[in-house]
């Protein structure tokens, strides 16, 4: 009788040397929290130089400022003035969306950009208020304190929520937890932003139609009920004025998209609308005919608001909850926008640095009468197209806003609210990325339904419900990937020693008497039971297929473990049970290309001895060769393996 010793295996799979537990733990923690190896630059450097490098790491302006040139300044000057022309009307508009005084929107475009310019790592990100964050603040805090009945307490809550958003963001960066934000997938963000943009647009019907009383709810049913329930209060003057300015804003966007050199037309359009609207109201006295205006804006720079933070308020938990949610949304949007434009210019931004920068600018902002700021796409796109070369464009923008606060705020007295509504609607239409949704449908239907679920959750429920649905579905998909990994049947590509998926390669052929399966994920407690059942079903199906076509009966089951990067004790138990099942059928289990961590666990559990070292091969090809040798060269003795003896070793 032949035995496996008659077959000479060309290469054995070695068991790697085991590492001490503390060293393995250190390596795992390093890969989790420091994948970019930020300490590399400090190696072999003198102490004084390490201190300077440390300052440059946490304050990036110290690293690039010495190389800053006058040519860079000229480019940043143009870009900064351009985005300032957008920041002023957007700041006022988004403040009204957050149900806070318009002047706070201007304050928020002064201090935070200065902080980001020192701490941020993006050359193109333009800092400012964001529509979705403003909507979240209004919808969440407005339920706790009425912004109309108790405006002072409401503003204090807004500052407090902004403070906690900053603390949360900075903590994420300091603790190197940036990977958590990645759980918000692209599909989730597209759906959530689209839903929020839809609600924001519908809520602007209040300003477009000149309505005084309006619902605080954000779902589409409540908003539309409020609109059509007050038909007798619609003001045709506001509606006509709003439609005209909205048409103007959309027309300028259309031309700027057709010709990129005309980007400045779209960038200047909001400020132009504010100027024209203010002149029109002033000359026609439209405020006396139902057209609502901003009114008085006090001159002067940001007053300190440290004493306005209410840590002893009965609504503190609402402020904390709001801060965490707007902090996550601000990070997700800002980092995604920063990475997008960094890719265009072929440079890298550090996600953890960005989190620290965002956190510090919101903490500083909450103490200087500012509310949530992030990196809005529209303003950043204008900054990029205007030719910005560094974060100095944010400093120029902040300087322009400072000049506005000191000298120009009285000029906004006659600015009609309907113009602000038109500016918001125009900006929000850009967030309705239907092309991205269509792309998701074509590429990945599951991603599309995640996107759709987030969108409908926001539109039909609330912003919070939409966010919860989006995160829940994203996590559910991750769990599905972990708990239900793919197992693939491999076949031989004719005239080669290559084995590939038979679904992907129709020309691949099965090997007579051998079933080759590839496990496409790590094996953990979450998927061990499923894999055991799925492998057993593959064996049943293959045996039934062979019987139906009258081919050679099944003798060997090869498991390709190339994609199994790690395994736990439940996975070891799964392999033991698969081995028992295979043995009961008179078959033999063979392993191909187990990775380092897997081999260590197999060795420690003594499962290698149970399976047999001679049945563990480096490649699928070598495993097939060994099986064919035993199958056709010699008749194997019946194999009886005592798996029960190993039960206590795992």
């Amino acid at each position: 009788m032949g035995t496996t010793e008659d077959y000479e295996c060309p290469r054995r799979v070695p068991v790697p040397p085991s590492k001490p537990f503390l060293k393995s733990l250190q390596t795992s923690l390093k890969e989790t929290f420091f994948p970019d190896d930020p300490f590399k630059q400090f190696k072999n450097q003198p102490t004084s130089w390490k201190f300077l490098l440390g300052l440059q790491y946490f304050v990036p302006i110290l690293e690039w400022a010495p190389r800053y040139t006058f040519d860079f300044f000229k480019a940043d000057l143009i870009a900064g003035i351009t985005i300032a022309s957008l920041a002023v009307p957007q700041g006022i508009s988004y403040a009204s969306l957050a149900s806070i005084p318009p002047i706070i929107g201007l304050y928020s475009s002064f201090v935070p950009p200065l902080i980001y310019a020192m701490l941020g790592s993006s050359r193109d990100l333009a800092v400012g208020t964001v529509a979705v964050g403003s909507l979240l603040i209004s919808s969440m805090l407005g339920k706790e304190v009425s912004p109309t009945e108790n405006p002072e307490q409401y503003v204090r809550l807004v500052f407090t929520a902004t403070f906690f958003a900053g603390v949360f963001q900075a903590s994420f960066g300091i603790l190197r937890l940036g990977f958590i934000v990645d759980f918000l997938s692209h599909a989730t963000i597209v759906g959530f932003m689209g839903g929020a943009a839809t609600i924001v647009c519908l809520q602007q019907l209040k300003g477009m139609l000149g309505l005084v009383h309006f619902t605080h709810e954000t779902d589409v049913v409540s908003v539309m009920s409020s609109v059509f329930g007050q038909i007798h209060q619609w003001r045709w003057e506001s509606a006509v004025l709003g439609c005209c300015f909205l048409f103007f804003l959309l027309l300028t966007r259309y031309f700027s998209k057709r010709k990129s050199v005309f980007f400045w037309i779209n960038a200047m359009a909001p400020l132009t609308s504010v100027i024209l609207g203010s002149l029109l109201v002033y000359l026609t006295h439209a405020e006396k005919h139902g057209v609502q205006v901003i009114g008085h804006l006090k001159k002067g720079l940001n007053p300190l608001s440290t004493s306005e933070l209410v840590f002893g308020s009965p609504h503190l938990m609402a402020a904390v909850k709001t801060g965490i949610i707007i902090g996550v949304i601000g990070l997700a949007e800002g980092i995604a926008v920063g990475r997008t434009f960094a890719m265009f210019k072929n440079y890298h931004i550090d996600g953890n640095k960005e989190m620290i920068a965002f956190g510090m600018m919101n903490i500083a902002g909450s103490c200087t009468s500012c509310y949530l700021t992030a990196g809005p796409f529209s303003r950043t796109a204008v900054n990029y197209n205007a030719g910005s070369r560094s974060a100095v464009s944010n400093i120029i923008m902040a300087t322009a806003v400072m000049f506005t606060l000191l000298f120009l705020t009285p000029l906004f007295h006659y600015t009609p609210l309907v113009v602000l509504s038109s500016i918001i609607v125009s900006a929000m239409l850009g967030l309705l990325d239907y092309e991205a949704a269509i792309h998701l449908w074509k590429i990945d239907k599951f991603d599309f339904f995640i996107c759709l679920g987030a969108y409908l959750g926001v539109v039909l429920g609330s912003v919070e419900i939409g966010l919860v649905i989006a995160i829940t579905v994203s996590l559910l998909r991750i769990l599905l990937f972990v708990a239900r990994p793919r197992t693939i049947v491999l076949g031989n590509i004719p005239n080669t020693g290559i084995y590939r998926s038979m679904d992907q390669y129709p020309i691949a052929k099965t090997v007579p008497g051998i079933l080759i399966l590839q496990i496409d994920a790590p094996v953990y407690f979450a998927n061990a039971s499923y894999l055991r059942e799925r492998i057993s079903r593959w064996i049943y199906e293959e045996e039934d297929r062979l019987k139906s076509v009258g081919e050679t009966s099944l003798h060997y089951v090869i498991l390709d473990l190339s994609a199994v990067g790690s395994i736990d004790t439940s996975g070891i138990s799964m392999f033991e049970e698969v081995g028992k099942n295979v043995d009961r059928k008179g078959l033999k289990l063979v392993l191909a290309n187990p990775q380092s961590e897997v081999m260590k666990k197999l060795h420690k559990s003594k499962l290698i001895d149970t399976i047999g070292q001679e049945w563990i091969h480096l490649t699928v090809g070598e495993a097939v060769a060994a099986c064919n040798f035993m199958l056709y060269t010699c008749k194997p003795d019946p194999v009886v393996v005592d798996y029960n003896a190993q039960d206590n070793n795992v």
Side-chain angles (χ1 to χ4, degrees):
M1 290 292 182
T3 63
T4 53
E5 282 77 10
D6 296 332
Y7 176 76
E8 185 176 346
C9 182
R11 289 179 292 270
R12 294 288 184 186
V13 179
V15 177
S18 60
K19 294 181 181 179
F21 171 73
L22 290 178
K23 188 172 183 180
S24 298
L25 180 62
Q26 180 184 6
T27 302
S28 298
L29 292 176
K30 181 179 178 181
E31 289 302 316
T32 301
F33 297 105
F34 303 99
D36 54 341
D37 193 12
F39 303 110
K40 181 179 179 181
Q41 59 181 328
F42 297 100
K43 293 178 181 178
N44 303 320
Q45 298 290 349
T47 304
S48 58
W49 190 245
K50 286 181 180 178
F51 178 74
L52 179 60
L53 289 174
L55 282 178
Q56 290 179 346
Y57 180 81
F58 289 105
V59 188
I61 193 172
L62 298 177
E63 191 271 329
W64 55 262
R67 304 192 305 271
Y68 195 72
T69 64
F70 184 68
D71 288 336
F72 283 12
F73 176 74
K74 289 189 291 185
D76 287 333
L77 179 64
I78 296 172
I81 294 174
T82 304
I83 57 176
S85 67
L86 182 63
V88 171
Q90 274 192 352
I92 296 173
S93 302
Y94 292 164
S96 65
L97 184 60
S99 303
I100 56 179
I103 193 66
I104 296 178
L106 288 180
Y107 290 158
S108 301
S109 293
F110 173 45
V111 173
L114 296 176
I115 303 296
Y116 181 82
M118 293 186 291
L119 302 179
S121 60
S122 173
R123 305 171 196 166
D124 301 287
L125 197 72
V127 171
T129 54
V130 287
V132 175
S134 301
L135 175 65
L136 280 166
I137 288 173
S138 177
S139 64
M140 297 182 71
L141 296 182
K143 295 176 182 178
E144 301 292 325
V145 177
S146 172
T148 53
E149 297 175 4
N150 199 343
E152 292 184 359
Q153 187 177 359
Y154 176 78
V155 169
R156 293 192 190 101
L157 269 186
V158 171
F159 291 155
T160 307
T162 302
F163 174 82
F164 282 112
V167 170
F168 182 72
Q169 291 170 331
S171 300
F172 259 39
I174 294 171
L175 298 176
R176 311 287 294 184
L177 298 176
F179 62 89
I180 295 179
V181 178
D182 294 333
F183 281 95
L184 286 174
S185 66
H186 173 66
T188 300
I189 293 174
V190 169
F192 177 79
M193 292 296 186
T198 301
I199 292 300
V200 170
C201 288
L202 292 177
Q203 285 195 331
Q204 297 319 299
L205 291 175
K206 173 189 176 183
M208 298 282 282
L209 298 174
L211 300 176
V212 178
H213 303 290
F214 206 70
T215 180
H216 293 295
E217 300 297 326
T218 58
D219 63 283
V220 65
V221 175
S222 299
V223 173
M224 297 311 295
S225 297
S226 182
V227 170
F228 288 102
Q230 305 181 69
I231 293 180
H232 59 286
Q233 296 183 21
W234 290 6
R235 306 293 303 194
W236 68 268
E237 301 94 339
S238 292
V240 171
L241 196 61
C243 290
C244 290
F245 279 109
L246 181 58
F247 176 76
F248 169 70
L249 291 166
L250 295 178
L251 188 65
T252 57
R253 173 181 291 180
Y254 172 77
F255 279 114
S256 67
K257 285 187 175 181
R258 290 289 297 271
K259 297 275 188 180
S260 58
V261 292
F262 293 145
F263 76 91
W264 56 272
I265 296 178
N266 185 41
M268 297 296 292
L271 184 60
T272 304
S273 299
V274 168
I275 295 172
L276 292 177
S278 301
L279 286 174
L280 185 63
V281 170
Y282 177 75
L283 296 174
T284 62
H285 302 287
E287 77 278 9
K288 298 179 181 178
H289 298 86
V291 177
Q292 301 175 50
V293 297
I294 289 178
H296 175 69
L297 290 180
K298 62 180 181 180
K299 294 167 61 175
L301 299 181
N302 306 31
L304 290 177
S305 57
T306 309
S307 60
E308 301 293 313
L309 301 179
V310 284
F311 299 116
S313 168
H315 307 292
L316 179 63
M317 290 312 299
V320 173
K321 175 185 172 183
T322 304
I324 292 175
I325 292 176
I326 63 177
V328 170
I329 296 299
L331 283 179
E333 181 181 5
I335 293 177
V337 170
R339 284 175 176 169
T340 299
F341 287 95
M343 181 179 64
F344 292 158
K345 289 187 178 179
N346 196 29
Y347 70 92
H348 172 72
I349 68 169
D350 188 323
N352 289 292
K353 284 184 184 178
E354 290 296 285
M355 291 180 183
I356 295 174
F358 275 47
M360 296 308 297
M361 75 181 185
N362 279 313
I363 291 173
S366 67
C367 297
T368 52
S369 300
C370 304
Y371 81 110
L372 180 76
T373 49
F377 180 85
S378 58
R379 199 177 301 188
T380 303
V382 170
N383 192 37
Y384 173 83
N385 289 323
S388 71
R389 304 295 294 271
S390 72
V392 170
S393 60
N394 278 294
I395 299 176
I396 302 297
M397 177 188 70
T399 305
V401 172
M402 178 186 71
F403 183 81
T404 302
L405 287 169
L406 289 174
F407 304 108
L408 303 181
T409 50
L411 300 180
F412 294 100
H413 182 279
Y414 290 99
T415 301
L417 297 183
V418 67
V419 171
L420 302 183
S421 295
S422 301
I423 292 172
I424 292 174
V425 171
S426 174
M428 289 302 95
L429 290 177
L431 291 180
L432 291 171
D433 198 351
Y434 64 91
E435 293 180 350
I438 294 173
H439 181 72
L440 290 172
W441 173 260
K442 291 179 179 178
I443 302 300
D444 190 327
K445 300 294 190 295
F446 200 103
D447 262 354
F448 172 80
F449 285 111
I450 290 176
C451 174
L452 184 63
Y455 178 85
L456 293 178
V458 174
V459 172
L460 300 179
S462 67
V463 178
E464 302 97 295
I465 291 175
L467 185 60
V468 169
I469 290 175
I471 295 176
T472 301
V473 175
S474 294
L475 292 176
L476 180 61
R477 187 176 191 186
I478 294 172
L479 291 175
L480 276 176
F481 282 150
V482 173
R484 294 294 182 266
R486 292 188 305 165
T487 52
I488 306 166
V489 177
L490 303 184
N492 176 244
I493 305 296
N495 302 317
T496 71
I498 299 172
Y499 295 83
R500 292 293 183 267
S501 168
M502 296 187 66
D503 286 336
Q504 184 178 359
Y505 296 88
I507 62 171
K509 305 295 183 182
T510 58
V511 181
I514 303 173
L515 174 63
I516 309 171
L517 299 175
Q518 183 182 66
I519 300 175
D520 204 20
V523 182
Y524 294 124
F525 64 92
N527 58 28
S529 179
Y530 167 78
L531 285 172
R532 179 182 65 251
E533 295 170 1
R534 190 66 186 93
I535 291 171
S536 297
R537 186 151 59 93
W538 277 121
I539 295 173
Y540 294 141
E541 291 172 354
E542 180 67 9
E543 288 179 330
D544 292 342
R545 187 189 70 82
L546 292 175
K547 288 178 182 178
S548 64
V549 299
E551 293 185 3
T552 306
S553 60
L554 189 62
H555 293 279
Y556 296 96
V557 177
I558 299 176
L559 296 182
D560 179 10
L561 305 182
S562 303
V564 182
S566 58
I567 189 172
D568 66 359
T569 52
S570 297
I572 295 294
S573 298
M574 183 274 291
F575 279 127
E576 287 187 352
E577 293 178 26
V578 169
K580 293 176 184 178
N581 184 34
V582 168
D583 183 51
R584 281 194 296 269
K585 292 177 174 292
L587 309 177
K588 180 60 186 175
L589 180 65
V590 184
L591 304 183
N593 195 23
Q595 302 296 307
S596 173
E597 289 300 314
V598 177
M599 280 299 291
K600 287 180 184 177
K601 298 286 180 66
L602 294 177
H603 175 68
K604 290 179 179 178
S605 66
K606 302 190 183 305
L607 191 56
I608 286 182
D609 300 332
T610 304
I611 296 175
Q613 177 71 48
E614 67 275 13
W615 293 110
I616 301 177
H617 295 273
L618 185 61
T619 66
V620 173
E622 292 181 3
V624 171
C627 293
N628 280 333
F629 176 83
M630 297 299 298
L631 196 59
Y632 298 111
T633 306
C634 56
K635 182 180 179 181
D637 295 325
V639 179
V640 179
V641 179
D642 185 8
Y643 284 92
N644 294 319
Q646 301 303 321
D647 287 346
N648 296 326
N649 294 324
V650 180

